[in-house]
Amino acid sequence: QVQLVESGGGSVQPGGSLRLSCAASRSIFSIFSIYPVGWYRQAPGKQRDLVAQITRGGTATYVDSVKGRFTISRDNAKNMVSLQMSSLKFEDTAVYYCNVHGPNRDYWGQGTQVTVSS
């Protein structure tokens, strides 16, 4: 029943880079390709916040704290959305989730842990 799967998380030092990927299952290919896909993150004890979002046509938006450092992109042929993270800060430490708001429900991945520490 898992229809979105995140990968690419790990531990990095401040200033490092990491690339996250979100892959959609075949059952939601159409939804994934039509509706905006977003990356959210949640640190312990804090709410889950939208970090970046990309539309069907490739228009990207970002939360102010990651502008200039993160880049969201999509590969429609592979049914995948990626988040390239650079110049990472300890404040970026969180579990990162992929999400798409479908017509009848929200779809969430299981999350992938990103830890930035020295």
Side-chain angles (χ1 to χ4, degrees), residues 87-114:
S87 301
L88 284 163
K89 305 173 181 179
F90 71 87
E91 301 99 308
D92 297 318
T93 296
V95 177
Y96 284 70
Y97 299 89
C98 182
N99 167 268
V100 58
H101 297 295
N104 301 310
R105 57 160 287 191
D106 288 349
Y107 296 89
W108 291 94
Q110 82 286 358
T112 185
Q113 177 71 48
V114 172

PDB file of all heavy atoms in Angstrom, residues 87-114:
ATOM      1  N   SER A  87      24.837  23.158   0.724  1.00  0.00           N
ATOM      2  CA  SER A  87      25.143  24.071   1.828  1.00  0.00           C
ATOM      3  C   SER A  87      24.286  23.762   3.047  1.00  0.00           C
ATOM      4  O   SER A  87      23.695  24.651   3.664  1.00  0.00           O
ATOM      5  CB  SER A  87      24.947  25.523   1.390  1.00  0.00           C
ATOM      6  OG  SER A  87      25.773  25.833   0.293  1.00  0.00           O
ATOM      7  N   LEU A  88      24.240  22.512   3.397  1.00  0.00           N
ATOM      8  CA  LEU A  88      23.363  22.066   4.472  1.00  0.00           C
ATOM      9  C   LEU A  88      23.780  22.633   5.822  1.00  0.00           C
ATOM     10  O   LEU A  88      24.961  22.780   6.118  1.00  0.00           O
ATOM     11  CB  LEU A  88      23.336  20.546   4.529  1.00  0.00           C
ATOM     12  CG  LEU A  88      22.498  19.884   3.428  1.00  0.00           C
ATOM     13  CD1 LEU A  88      22.850  18.414   3.292  1.00  0.00           C
ATOM     14  CD2 LEU A  88      21.009  20.045   3.728  1.00  0.00           C
ATOM     15  N   LYS A  89      22.772  22.952   6.619  1.00  0.00           N
ATOM     16  CA  LYS A  89      22.960  23.496   7.954  1.00  0.00           C
ATOM     17  C   LYS A  89      22.364  22.545   8.985  1.00  0.00           C
ATOM     18  O   LYS A  89      21.521  21.722   8.653  1.00  0.00           O
ATOM     19  CB  LYS A  89      22.267  24.856   8.066  1.00  0.00           C
ATOM     20  CG  LYS A  89      22.687  25.871   7.018  1.00  0.00           C
ATOM     21  CD  LYS A  89      21.825  27.120   7.112  1.00  0.00           C
ATOM     22  CE  LYS A  89      22.218  28.136   6.060  1.00  0.00           C
ATOM     23  NZ  LYS A  89      21.362  29.356   6.135  1.00  0.00           N
ATOM     24  N   PHE A  90      22.780  22.692  10.237  1.00  0.00           N
ATOM     25  CA  PHE A  90      22.229  21.810  11.266  1.00  0.00           C
ATOM     26  C   PHE A  90      20.722  21.988  11.386  1.00  0.00           C
ATOM     27  O   PHE A  90      20.016  21.052  11.777  1.00  0.00           O
ATOM     28  CB  PHE A  90      22.926  22.028  12.613  1.00  0.00           C
ATOM     29  CG  PHE A  90      22.601  23.332  13.294  1.00  0.00           C
ATOM     30  CD1 PHE A  90      21.500  23.438  14.131  1.00  0.00           C
ATOM     31  CD2 PHE A  90      23.408  24.448  13.122  1.00  0.00           C
ATOM     32  CE1 PHE A  90      21.199  24.634  14.775  1.00  0.00           C
ATOM     33  CE2 PHE A  90      23.118  25.637  13.762  1.00  0.00           C
ATOM     34  CZ  PHE A  90      22.017  25.735  14.586  1.00  0.00           C
ATOM     35  N   GLU A  91      20.219  23.173  11.047  1.00  0.00           N
ATOM     36  CA  GLU A  91      18.790  23.436  11.085  1.00  0.00           C
ATOM     37  C   GLU A  91      18.004  22.613  10.070  1.00  0.00           C
ATOM     38  O   GLU A  91      16.773  22.520  10.159  1.00  0.00           O
ATOM     39  CB  GLU A  91      18.497  24.922  10.833  1.00  0.00           C
ATOM     40  CG  GLU A  91      19.142  25.864  11.829  1.00  0.00           C
ATOM     41  CD  GLU A  91      20.423  26.482  11.298  1.00  0.00           C
ATOM     42  OE1 GLU A  91      21.301  25.722  10.848  1.00  0.00           O
ATOM     43  OE2 GLU A  91      20.531  27.730  11.329  1.00  0.00           O
ATOM     44  N   ASP A  92      18.690  22.032   9.091  1.00  0.00           N
ATOM     45  CA  ASP A  92      18.031  21.208   8.087  1.00  0.00           C
ATOM     46  C   ASP A  92      17.779  19.788   8.574  1.00  0.00           C
ATOM     47  O   ASP A  92      17.127  19.005   7.883  1.00  0.00           O
ATOM     48  CB  ASP A  92      18.868  21.160   6.803  1.00  0.00           C
ATOM     49  CG  ASP A  92      19.028  22.530   6.160  1.00  0.00           C
ATOM     50  OD1 ASP A  92      18.042  23.288   6.114  1.00  0.00           O
ATOM     51  OD2 ASP A  92      20.152  22.833   5.699  1.00  0.00           O
ATOM     52  N   THR A  93      18.306  19.453   9.728  1.00  0.00           N
ATOM     53  CA  THR A  93      18.117  18.116  10.278  1.00  0.00           C
ATOM     54  C   THR A  93      16.639  17.840  10.529  1.00  0.00           C
ATOM     55  O   THR A  93      15.968  18.587  11.240  1.00  0.00           O
ATOM     56  CB  THR A  93      18.899  17.948  11.587  1.00  0.00           C
ATOM     57  OG1 THR A  93      20.301  18.068  11.325  1.00  0.00           O
ATOM     58  CG2 THR A  93      18.625  16.589  12.216  1.00  0.00           C
ATOM     59  N   ALA A  94      16.137  16.773   9.941  1.00  0.00           N
ATOM     60  CA  ALA A  94      14.727  16.422  10.053  1.00  0.00           C
ATOM     61  C   ALA A  94      14.467  15.146   9.275  1.00  0.00           C
ATOM     62  O   ALA A  94      15.331  14.660   8.538  1.00  0.00           O
ATOM     63  CB  ALA A  94      13.838  17.542   9.504  1.00  0.00           C
ATOM     64  N   VAL A  95      13.276  14.612   9.445  1.00  0.00           N
ATOM     65  CA  VAL A  95      12.797  13.562   8.567  1.00  0.00           C
ATOM     66  C   VAL A  95      12.106  14.248   7.397  1.00  0.00           C
ATOM     67  O   VAL A  95      11.236  15.102   7.595  1.00  0.00           O
ATOM     68  CB  VAL A  95      11.824  12.607   9.275  1.00  0.00           C
ATOM     69  CG1 VAL A  95      11.285  11.572   8.298  1.00  0.00           C
ATOM     70  CG2 VAL A  95      12.519  11.917  10.443  1.00  0.00           C
ATOM     71  N   TYR A  96      12.488  13.886   6.203  1.00  0.00           N
ATOM     72  CA  TYR A  96      11.939  14.498   5.003  1.00  0.00           C
ATOM     73  C   TYR A  96      10.920  13.565   4.367  1.00  0.00           C
ATOM     74  O   TYR A  96      11.191  12.377   4.179  1.00  0.00           O
ATOM     75  CB  TYR A  96      13.051  14.824   4.008  1.00  0.00           C
ATOM     76  CG  TYR A  96      13.851  16.044   4.397  1.00  0.00           C
ATOM     77  CD1 TYR A  96      14.699  16.012   5.498  1.00  0.00           C
ATOM     78  CD2 TYR A  96      13.748  17.232   3.679  1.00  0.00           C
ATOM     79  CE1 TYR A  96      15.414  17.132   5.887  1.00  0.00           C
ATOM     80  CE2 TYR A  96      14.467  18.353   4.053  1.00  0.00           C
ATOM     81  CZ  TYR A  96      15.298  18.298   5.155  1.00  0.00           C
ATOM     82  OH  TYR A  96      16.011  19.421   5.524  1.00  0.00           O
ATOM     83  N   TYR A  97       9.762  14.124   4.025  1.00  0.00           N
ATOM     84  CA  TYR A  97       8.663  13.359   3.466  1.00  0.00           C
ATOM     85  C   TYR A  97       8.261  13.897   2.096  1.00  0.00           C
ATOM     86  O   TYR A  97       8.224  15.107   1.884  1.00  0.00           O
ATOM     87  CB  TYR A  97       7.430  13.425   4.365  1.00  0.00           C
ATOM     88  CG  TYR A  97       7.616  12.865   5.752  1.00  0.00           C
ATOM     89  CD1 TYR A  97       8.068  13.661   6.791  1.00  0.00           C
ATOM     90  CD2 TYR A  97       7.314  11.532   6.020  1.00  0.00           C
ATOM     91  CE1 TYR A  97       8.219  13.158   8.070  1.00  0.00           C
ATOM     92  CE2 TYR A  97       7.460  11.015   7.298  1.00  0.00           C
ATOM     93  CZ  TYR A  97       7.913  11.831   8.315  1.00  0.00           C
ATOM     94  OH  TYR A  97       8.057  11.320   9.583  1.00  0.00           O
ATOM     95  N   CYS A  98       7.920  13.000   1.228  1.00  0.00           N
ATOM     96  CA  CYS A  98       7.360  13.344  -0.069  1.00  0.00           C
ATOM     97  C   CYS A  98       5.841  13.312   0.035  1.00  0.00           C
ATOM     98  O   CYS A  98       5.277  12.463   0.731  1.00  0.00           O
ATOM     99  CB  CYS A  98       7.846  12.343  -1.117  1.00  0.00           C
ATOM    100  SG  CYS A  98       7.287  12.665  -2.801  1.00  0.00           S
ATOM    101  N   ASN A  99       5.185  14.223  -0.655  1.00  0.00           N
ATOM    102  CA  ASN A  99       3.732  14.314  -0.561  1.00  0.00           C
ATOM    103  C   ASN A  99       3.108  14.773  -1.865  1.00  0.00           C
ATOM    104  O   ASN A  99       3.664  15.599  -2.585  1.00  0.00           O
ATOM    105  CB  ASN A  99       3.337  15.297   0.546  1.00  0.00           C
ATOM    106  CG  ASN A  99       1.868  15.690   0.498  1.00  0.00           C
ATOM    107  OD1 ASN A  99       1.498  16.689  -0.126  1.00  0.00           O
ATOM    108  ND2 ASN A  99       1.025  14.909   1.148  1.00  0.00           N
ATOM    109  N   VAL A 100       1.919  14.247  -2.146  1.00  0.00           N
ATOM    110  CA  VAL A 100       1.095  14.762  -3.221  1.00  0.00           C
ATOM    111  C   VAL A 100      -0.348  14.785  -2.739  1.00  0.00           C
ATOM    112  O   VAL A 100      -0.828  13.815  -2.146  1.00  0.00           O
ATOM    113  CB  VAL A 100       1.243  13.934  -4.520  1.00  0.00           C
ATOM    114  CG1 VAL A 100       0.889  12.460  -4.303  1.00  0.00           C
ATOM    115  CG2 VAL A 100       0.398  14.531  -5.634  1.00  0.00           C
ATOM    116  N   HIS A 101      -1.009  15.908  -2.943  1.00  0.00           N
ATOM    117  CA  HIS A 101      -2.416  16.049  -2.578  1.00  0.00           C
ATOM    118  C   HIS A 101      -3.262  15.586  -3.751  1.00  0.00           C
ATOM    119  O   HIS A 101      -3.435  16.313  -4.722  1.00  0.00           O
ATOM    120  CB  HIS A 101      -2.756  17.484  -2.231  1.00  0.00           C
ATOM    121  CG  HIS A 101      -2.033  18.026  -1.039  1.00  0.00           C
ATOM    122  ND1 HIS A 101      -2.223  17.529   0.233  1.00  0.00           N
ATOM    123  CD2 HIS A 101      -1.109  19.016  -0.925  1.00  0.00           C
ATOM    124  CE1 HIS A 101      -1.455  18.193   1.080  1.00  0.00           C
ATOM    125  NE2 HIS A 101      -0.770  19.093   0.403  1.00  0.00           N
ATOM    126  N   GLY A 102      -3.774  14.371  -3.647  1.00  0.00           N
ATOM    127  CA  GLY A 102      -4.613  13.822  -4.692  1.00  0.00           C
ATOM    128  C   GLY A 102      -6.036  14.331  -4.597  1.00  0.00           C
ATOM    129  O   GLY A 102      -6.391  15.051  -3.662  1.00  0.00           O
ATOM    130  N   PRO A 103      -6.868  13.973  -5.546  1.00  0.00           N
ATOM    131  CA  PRO A 103      -8.255  14.445  -5.557  1.00  0.00           C
ATOM    132  C   PRO A 103      -9.102  13.906  -4.417  1.00  0.00           C
ATOM    133  O   PRO A 103     -10.084  14.544  -4.030  1.00  0.00           O
ATOM    134  CB  PRO A 103      -8.775  13.965  -6.912  1.00  0.00           C
ATOM    135  CG  PRO A 103      -7.939  12.769  -7.225  1.00  0.00           C
ATOM    136  CD  PRO A 103      -6.579  13.093  -6.686  1.00  0.00           C
ATOM    137  N   ASN A 104      -8.745  12.738  -3.881  1.00  0.00           N
ATOM    138  CA  ASN A 104      -9.528  12.114  -2.827  1.00  0.00           C
ATOM    139  C   ASN A 104      -8.792  11.939  -1.512  1.00  0.00           C
ATOM    140  O   ASN A 104      -9.424  11.710  -0.477  1.00  0.00           O
ATOM    141  CB  ASN A 104     -10.040  10.749  -3.297  1.00  0.00           C
ATOM    142  CG  ASN A 104     -10.892  10.849  -4.538  1.00  0.00           C
ATOM    143  OD1 ASN A 104     -11.820  11.657  -4.594  1.00  0.00           O
ATOM    144  ND2 ASN A 104     -10.596  10.041  -5.541  1.00  0.00           N
ATOM    145  N   ARG A 105      -7.499  12.023  -1.538  1.00  0.00           N
ATOM    146  CA  ARG A 105      -6.698  11.818  -0.339  1.00  0.00           C
ATOM    147  C   ARG A 105      -5.293  12.348  -0.544  1.00  0.00           C
ATOM    148  O   ARG A 105      -4.878  12.639  -1.672  1.00  0.00           O
ATOM    149  CB  ARG A 105      -6.630  10.333   0.023  1.00  0.00           C
ATOM    150  CG  ARG A 105      -6.085   9.447  -1.101  1.00  0.00           C
ATOM    151  CD  ARG A 105      -5.593   8.125  -0.613  1.00  0.00           C
ATOM    152  NE  ARG A 105      -4.330   8.259   0.097  1.00  0.00           N
ATOM    153  CZ  ARG A 105      -3.555   7.239   0.453  1.00  0.00           C
ATOM    154  NH1 ARG A 105      -3.937   6.002   0.197  1.00  0.00           N
ATOM    155  NH2 ARG A 105      -2.413   7.448   1.085  1.00  0.00           N
ATOM    156  N   ASP A 106      -4.564  12.473   0.553  1.00  0.00           N
ATOM    157  CA  ASP A 106      -3.156  12.817   0.507  1.00  0.00           C
ATOM    158  C   ASP A 106      -2.324  11.548   0.471  1.00  0.00           C
ATOM    159  O   ASP A 106      -2.661  10.542   1.094  1.00  0.00           O
ATOM    160  CB  ASP A 106      -2.740  13.629   1.732  1.00  0.00           C
ATOM    161  CG  ASP A 106      -3.268  15.041   1.709  1.00  0.00           C
ATOM    162  OD1 ASP A 106      -3.780  15.479   0.671  1.00  0.00           O
ATOM    163  OD2 ASP A 106      -3.165  15.720   2.752  1.00  0.00           O
ATOM    164  N   TYR A 107      -1.227  11.607  -0.253  1.00  0.00           N
ATOM    165  CA  TYR A 107      -0.296  10.503  -0.314  1.00  0.00           C
ATOM    166  C   TYR A 107       1.013  10.934   0.325  1.00  0.00           C
ATOM    167  O   TYR A 107       1.544  12.003   0.010  1.00  0.00           O
ATOM    168  CB  TYR A 107      -0.055  10.070  -1.760  1.00  0.00           C
ATOM    169  CG  TYR A 107      -1.292   9.534  -2.438  1.00  0.00           C
ATOM    170  CD1 TYR A 107      -2.161  10.382  -3.113  1.00  0.00           C
ATOM    171  CD2 TYR A 107      -1.601   8.183  -2.398  1.00  0.00           C
ATOM    172  CE1 TYR A 107      -3.306   9.896  -3.722  1.00  0.00           C
ATOM    173  CE2 TYR A 107      -2.740   7.687  -3.011  1.00  0.00           C
ATOM    174  CZ  TYR A 107      -3.586   8.549  -3.670  1.00  0.00           C
ATOM    175  OH  TYR A 107      -4.722   8.057  -4.279  1.00  0.00           O
ATOM    176  N   TRP A 108       1.524  10.105   1.218  1.00  0.00           N
ATOM    177  CA  TRP A 108       2.756  10.393   1.935  1.00  0.00           C
ATOM    178  C   TRP A 108       3.716   9.217   1.832  1.00  0.00           C
ATOM    179  O   TRP A 108       3.299   8.062   1.836  1.00  0.00           O
ATOM    180  CB  TRP A 108       2.485  10.650   3.417  1.00  0.00           C
ATOM    181  CG  TRP A 108       1.748  11.913   3.706  1.00  0.00           C
ATOM    182  CD1 TRP A 108       0.406  12.070   3.855  1.00  0.00           C
ATOM    183  CD2 TRP A 108       2.316  13.207   3.896  1.00  0.00           C
ATOM    184  NE1 TRP A 108       0.099  13.372   4.133  1.00  0.00           N
ATOM    185  CE2 TRP A 108       1.249  14.095   4.159  1.00  0.00           C
ATOM    186  CE3 TRP A 108       3.619  13.706   3.870  1.00  0.00           C
ATOM    187  CZ2 TRP A 108       1.446  15.450   4.404  1.00  0.00           C
ATOM    188  CZ3 TRP A 108       3.823  15.054   4.101  1.00  0.00           C
ATOM    189  CH2 TRP A 108       2.747  15.906   4.371  1.00  0.00           C
ATOM    190  N   GLY A 109       4.983   9.534   1.767  1.00  0.00           N
ATOM    191  CA  GLY A 109       5.995   8.514   1.859  1.00  0.00           C
ATOM    192  C   GLY A 109       6.297   8.204   3.308  1.00  0.00           C
ATOM    193  O   GLY A 109       5.727   8.807   4.229  1.00  0.00           O
ATOM    194  N   GLN A 110       7.195   7.261   3.531  1.00  0.00           N
ATOM    195  CA  GLN A 110       7.535   6.848   4.893  1.00  0.00           C
ATOM    196  C   GLN A 110       8.537   7.780   5.561  1.00  0.00           C
ATOM    197  O   GLN A 110       8.721   7.736   6.775  1.00  0.00           O
ATOM    198  CB  GLN A 110       8.080   5.416   4.883  1.00  0.00           C
ATOM    199  CG  GLN A 110       9.563   5.281   4.529  1.00  0.00           C
ATOM    200  CD  GLN A 110       9.879   5.485   3.063  1.00  0.00           C
ATOM    201  OE1 GLN A 110       8.994   5.694   2.236  1.00  0.00           O
ATOM    202  NE2 GLN A 110      11.170   5.424   2.726  1.00  0.00           N
ATOM    203  N   GLY A 111       9.178   8.614   4.772  1.00  0.00           N
ATOM    204  CA  GLY A 111      10.151   9.558   5.287  1.00  0.00           C
ATOM    205  C   GLY A 111      11.571   9.038   5.204  1.00  0.00           C
ATOM    206  O   GLY A 111      11.811   7.832   5.254  1.00  0.00           O
ATOM    207  N   THR A 112      12.507   9.950   5.070  1.00  0.00           N
ATOM    208  CA  THR A 112      13.922   9.607   5.083  1.00  0.00           C
ATOM    209  C   THR A 112      14.654  10.610   5.965  1.00  0.00           C
ATOM    210  O   THR A 112      14.424  11.814   5.890  1.00  0.00           O
ATOM    211  CB  THR A 112      14.502   9.581   3.653  1.00  0.00           C
ATOM    212  OG1 THR A 112      15.858   9.130   3.683  1.00  0.00           O
ATOM    213  CG2 THR A 112      14.441  10.947   2.982  1.00  0.00           C
ATOM    214  N   GLN A 113      15.515  10.103   6.831  1.00  0.00           N
ATOM    215  CA  GLN A 113      16.187  10.930   7.822  1.00  0.00           C
ATOM    216  C   GLN A 113      17.375  11.664   7.227  1.00  0.00           C
ATOM    217  O   GLN A 113      18.225  11.073   6.556  1.00  0.00           O
ATOM    218  CB  GLN A 113      16.666  10.067   8.995  1.00  0.00           C
ATOM    219  CG  GLN A 113      17.462  10.827  10.060  1.00  0.00           C
ATOM    220  CD  GLN A 113      16.608  11.760  10.876  1.00  0.00           C
ATOM    221  OE1 GLN A 113      15.551  11.377  11.366  1.00  0.00           O
ATOM    222  NE2 GLN A 113      17.066  13.009  11.029  1.00  0.00           N
ATOM    223  N   VAL A 114      17.444  12.962   7.481  1.00  0.00           N
ATOM    224  CA  VAL A 114      18.588  13.782   7.121  1.00  0.00           C
ATOM    225  C   VAL A 114      19.162  14.371   8.405  1.00  0.00           C
ATOM    226  O   VAL A 114      18.454  15.047   9.152  1.00  0.00           O
ATOM    227  CB  VAL A 114      18.210  14.914   6.154  1.00  0.00           C
ATOM    228  CG1 VAL A 114      19.382  15.870   5.955  1.00  0.00           C
ATOM    229  CG2 VAL A 114      17.763  14.338   4.821  1.00  0.00           C
TER     230      VAL A 114
END
